[in-house]
Amino acid sequence: MADADLGEGRRRALPEWVPALARILGTVAVTMLGLMLITFFIGRVVPVDPVILVIGDRAPKSVYDRTFIELGLDKPIWQQFLIYLGQVFQGDLGDSFLTKRPIISDIARVFPATLELATVGILIGTLFGVPLGVFAAVRQGKLADQVVRVVGLIGYSAPIFWLGLLGLLLFYARLHWIGGPGRVDISFEYSFTNRTGLMLLDTAMQGEWAAFRNVVGHIALPGALLGYLSMAYISRMSRSFMLNELGQEYITTARVKGVPERRIIWVHALRNAAVPLVTVIALSYAGLLEGAVLTETVFSWPGLGQYLTNSLQKADMNAVLGCTLVIGTIYIGLNLLSDLLYTLLDPRVRRRT
Amino acid sequence: MTALPTPTGGSRREWLLTDRPQSRRQARLGQAYRTWLAFRGNWLAMLGLGIVLALIFLAIFADVIAPYHPTIGGDLRTERLLPPSWEHWMGTDGQARDILSRIIYGARLTLLVVTLVALIATPIGLLVGTVAGYFGGWVDTILMRITDIFLAFPRLILALAFVAALGPGIENAIIAIAITSWPPYARLARAETLTIRDQDYIAATRLQGAGSARIIWKHVVPLCMSSVIIRVTLDMAGIILTAAGLGFLGLGAQPPQPEWGAMIADGRRFIIDQWWVATMPGLAIFTVSLAFNLLGDGLRDVLDPKARK
């Protein structure tokens, strides 16, 4: 490493979070390697014959042989893995059989739709989940606590694609409150230019308010559903973190000092509960990517999830593994982010390392 | 319950609840009885247990209970997409099949998935976790790194990728879900093992000449079991939802198998005009996974005093 040749005294002057950071990054590197090992394994080892997966079982022998060589299947397996690693690091996830384009550019094209959806979801989930959890903790054991618990349990138990279908039936087909499947009506699709890929942002920045309202109408239901999903988890965790804090002695001290109860709950206790909560929120943000696969299928949302399921149905293995790798990477990235935030927010963690 | 020998003529209840058990068996049974009494007090958990038992009952006696055949429909000209009625309590689907009967038979598939996943994933998790925790050092590092890598994937996505490679079907779906389910159990078992392995009685056993395998199997695994079982029960709902999700995407059970998720996908075409086709199987999934959640919550409250606050 670069700091290996620094003097002993110099190294001691490094901020104390540096070794912690180095260790976290090391963990991430190993996890990423494992991630690629798994996608490689799924693509090359699990299928009975990877060639047939690529060209189908009706291709002539000459094509089969050529593909066999092209895939590098004649080389030893560890060499194949190294080649695969090299390709991935260059951003080459192979070409899609469906669209004939590099998978990485396909993913770049569909990703903003998923990002927008998941962001709306996590915002709704956090804005409702945290206050609900705090509320339940304050009223522990009372009716309000039970209600929050049941609302959360329903979120845990209902299949999201089913809720989506019922929501479409009720709010779109019957009540006409929201826009239907897709991100925006065709009539609005060309009334604004696509800059960021996030339609809410694009329409708002260009002042196309009619289009903006249309986009909101489309994202409302899938966003609310994903929000509900993450709210169930966030409210449950906020409740238990808050209960933990409210039992601490500094809360009693604050009460004895005469600090108003509302301030104790929302400032003193919540501030300390917020540290682990950040981790929870980051993780449920990542979890929404998973929820997005099913939600996007139901709502014909042209994002990563729909791309993945379409590829699955057409047996486009390159695309499937590409998506898996990208989603896994985002997952690891968010985990890393939450670790870093944790170190940043909690002085005790910083000092321990 | 079977008749138990009651030594001194006192009632069975007193024998169970005595604070001076005469034998190891009496102590164990008494402990189980106390747990049951505590569990019985939680009516939500009892409701969950009731629904799960009903599901098992339905699955076993599907042949007798279901009013119609699950895969062979009625007359396609007159019995397609009928709304719920006295003849068809949940209506019929696009191929004139009785939805209620399909849901009853679907209970078998759901139970099959849940049971097999639990039977495959739990031992793997226990083995990895206890071995890692007991030996520590580089064994621990390697095993936990592997666990973390699997945890780094969203479960459904990894299951999707595995099924895509293995090919669709309920067996492959079960394998894929099991592969993605064991890491949390390994983490849990390791954490439990870390607190157990430095206890004096483990040291005593080791001094008596017991090998590592014996210590892990006889003294560590039993103590990890209760928390792992709670975790598995809590995960059942997630397993059901993942399986239903795979079925919905057409990667789980294949038609004409009456899998609930696939039934919803089938009813999607009719959602606007024939809402019951997709709604009823969803209701079944929802009820069963809610039941498992309630049951798991109840078990945790009773068996895991740490979580009780």
Side-chain angles (χ1 to χ4, degrees), chain B residues 22 36 42 82 120 205 223 266 281 289:
Chain B
Q22 304 292 314
W36 164 245
N42 183 344
L82 293 177
I120 300 172
T205 319
L223 287 170
D266 186 44
S289 68

Side-chain angles (χ1 to χ4, degrees), chain A residues 109 111-113 116 183 193-200 202:
Chain A
R109 185 169 46 82
F111 185 69
E116 189 170 35
R183 294 179 79 187
T193 39
N194 182 358
R195 294 229 177 86
T196 57
L198 308 173
M199 288 195 172
L200 284 173
D202 279 339

Side-chain angles (χ1 to χ4, degrees), chain A:
Chain A
M1 295 291 186
D3 60 349
D5 53 353
L6 292 174
E8 198 51 40
R10 176 73 202 282
R11 198 190 288 176
R12 216 175 285 135
L14 282 172
E16 51 203 354
W17 50 265
V18 169
L21 184 72
R23 206 180 44 205
I24 289 174
L25 288 179
T27 310
V28 168
V30 174
T31 317
M32 278 304 297
L33 200 70
L35 181 73
M36 284 183 269
L37 196 62
I38 291 179
T39 47
F40 173 77
F41 181 77
I42 295 176
R44 293 285 165 82
V45 187
V46 175
V48 183
D49 190 340
V51 181
I52 288 182
L53 207 63
V54 174
I55 57 173
D57 49 7
R58 262 169 281 171
K61 181 85 170 71
S62 59
V63 178
Y64 182 95
D65 290 339
R66 203 178 65 224
T67 318
F68 191 84
I69 306 285
E70 272 173 14
L71 287 174
L73 289 173
D74 49 338
K75 298 194 180 74
I77 199 103
W78 61 269
Q79 226 170 4
Q80 290 182 39
F81 180 60
L82 287 183
I83 294 171
Y84 174 74
L85 275 189
Q87 286 170 342
V88 171
F89 276 117
Q90 289 165 19
D92 174 15
L93 299 175
D95 288 349
S96 160
F97 308 120
L98 270 177
T99 60
K100 306 287 175 212
R101 270 184 306 222
I103 281 158
I104 196 81
S105 68
D106 271 353
I107 290 179
R109 185 169 46 82
V110 296
F111 185 69
T114 301
L115 181 69
E116 189 170 35
L117 186 60
T119 308
V120 169
I122 199 68
L123 286 178
I124 294 176
T126 311
L127 287 179
F128 286 90
V130 174
L132 271 182
V134 172
F135 188 61
V138 174
R139 301 281 176 91
Q140 189 196 0
K142 304 230 177 72
L143 183 68
D145 186 19
Q146 301 290 343
V147 171
V148 172
R149 184 167 160 234
V150 170
V151 168
L153 267 180
I154 293 174
Y156 274 117
S157 311
I160 188 165
F161 49 95
W162 178 65
L163 287 182
L165 280 175
L166 294 188
L168 271 180
L169 171 67
L170 183 65
F171 296 112
Y172 172 61
R174 295 280 152 88
L175 295 172
H176 306 289
W177 284 2
I178 55 157
R183 294 179 79 187
V184 66
D185 284 349
I186 298 177
S187 49
F188 287 106
E189 205 170 340
Y190 300 103
S191 65
F192 58 95
T193 39
N194 182 358
R195 294 229 177 86
T196 57
L198 308 173
M199 288 195 172
L200 284 173
L201 223 59
D202 279 339
T203 50
M205 282 192 313
Q206 291 161 37
E208 296 285 346
W209 296 109
F212 180 76
R213 273 195 298 277
N214 188 270
V215 173
V216 169
H218 278 270
I219 207 171
L221 187 58
L225 273 179
L226 287 180
Y228 182 43
L229 209 67
S230 58
M231 188 200 80
Y233 182 51
I234 292 175
S235 69
R236 181 179 235 183
M237 298 315 280
S238 332
R239 178 181 177 274
S240 87
F241 294 147
M242 276 302 278
L243 280 181
N244 203 8
E245 294 303 326
L246 287 174
Q248 304 281 328
E249 283 178 358
Y250 72 89
I251 296 291
T252 319
T253 314
R255 282 202 182 113
V256 170
K257 280 191 340 193
V259 179
E261 189 66 21
R262 197 189 286 168
R263 199 178 149 76
I264 291 178
I265 293 165
W266 294 100
V267 178
H268 291 218
L270 186 59
R271 239 175 101 181
N272 285 295
V275 177
L277 254 187
V278 167
T279 317
V280 166
I281 292 171
L283 288 183
S284 38
Y285 194 31
L288 286 186
L289 286 172
E290 184 177 40
V293 173
L294 291 165
T295 317
E296 287 180 3
T297 314
V298 172
F299 288 92
S300 310
W301 195 263
L304 194 55
Q306 206 195 27
Y307 180 70
L308 175 59
T309 42
N310 277 345
S311 316
L312 273 171
Q313 258 133 31
K314 308 274 159 48
D316 189 349
M317 206 58 198
N318 271 351
V320 171
L321 292 178
C323 290
T324 311
L325 199 58
V326 167
I327 293 175
T329 311
I330 297 169
Y331 227 66
I332 294 172
L334 282 168
N335 264 307
L336 170 69
L337 187 74
S338 75
D339 272 1
L340 293 179
L341 281 175
Y342 207 99
T343 329
L344 217 65
L345 290 174
D346 191 341
R348 284 170 304 181
V349 181
R350 231 171 358 204
R351 218 152 292 149
R352 208 181 301 142
T353 54

Side-chain angles (χ1 to χ4, degrees), chain B residues 87-174:
Chain B
E87 283 83 53
H88 301 282
W89 287 7
M90 293 186 174
T92 58
D93 67 4
Q95 295 178 49
R97 294 172 297 199
D98 180 55
I99 294 178
L100 176 65
S101 305
R102 282 176 69 71
I103 288 182
I104 292 174
Y105 275 95
R108 286 187 172 171
L109 290 175
T110 303
L111 267 186
L112 180 78
V113 170
V114 166
T115 316
L116 283 181
V117 169
L119 284 180
I120 300 172
T122 315
I124 300 178
L126 266 178
L127 183 71
V128 172
T130 48
V131 167
Y134 181 78
F135 288 106
W138 60 268
V139 177
D140 185 26
T141 311
I142 291 177
L143 286 179
M144 280 303 113
R145 259 306 76 91
I146 296 175
T147 310
D148 284 344
I149 288 166
F150 275 90
L151 275 177
F153 269 110
R155 192 146 130 197
L156 182 67
I157 310 283
L158 186 56
L160 280 178
F162 267 110
V163 176
L166 291 165
I170 188 133
E171 300 86 3
N172 291 341
I174 290 171

Side-chain angles (χ1 to χ4, degrees), chain B residues 21-22 27-29 36 39 97 106 115 132 167 183 212 214 220 259 291 298 302:
Chain B
Q22 304 292 314
R28 274 189 191 154
L29 285 172
W36 164 245
F39 184 79
R97 294 172 297 199
T115 316
S212 301
R214 187 181 170 79
V220 178
E259 199 272 330
V302 170

